[in-house]
Amino acid sequence: MKTWTDYLPQIPFSCCDLPEGGEWMTQEEAASSLGIGPIHLNALTHNTHRIDLVRTTGKELAVTRASVDAEKHWRATAPRWRKALRLLKDIVLSF
């Protein structure tokens, strides 16, 4: 017999356990590395899915180092019109 929890969407990162090591960082480290606040980091992880979340072996949420590096590279190399277009797209899709 199915329960009400069977109809909830599955969270894709809930089963991806990473070993302790250098391929992930805490959310606080990621926010300070990108030079943004924790609220902005949450928007990047949950709303736009640009930063990948994973679960560590301690069952805490962490951020992959590769996605933080990719976001840093995009912020450093993207022209202003691409940044403005991305901002507009994020605003429109947030409603």
Side-chain angles (χ1 to χ4, degrees):
M1 182 171 169
K2 290 189 174 190
T3 64
W4 66 274
T5 57
D6 294 333
Y7 299 104
L8 293 177
Q10 298 298 315
I11 301 172
F13 56 81
S14 63
C15 62
C16 299
D17 290 335
L18 290 179
E20 300 293 326
E23 61 267 353
W24 61 269
M25 61 177 67
T26 64
Q27 292 181 355
E28 293 82 16
E29 290 173 346
S32 66
S33 174
L34 289 170
I36 59 176
I39 293 174
H40 192 182
L41 182 73
N42 284 338
L44 286 173
T45 56
H46 296 296
N47 297 341
T48 60
H49 305 288
R50 291 191 182 100
I51 304 289
D52 299 327
L53 284 177
V54 293
R55 286 201 188 271
T56 63
T57 53
K59 301 299 181 201
E60 297 174 6
L61 285 178
V63 178
T64 60
R65 192 170 300 277
S67 64
V68 171
D69 291 340
E71 180 68 19
K72 265 195 214 177
H73 176 72
W74 186 88
R75 287 173 181 249
T77 60
R80 287 186 183 185
W81 68 271
R82 291 292 268 175
K83 292 178 183 178
L85 185 65
R86 180 177 176 182
L87 177 65
L88 180 65
K89 182 178 128 186
D90 289 347
I91 289 171
V92 168
L93 293 179
S94 67
F95 292 111

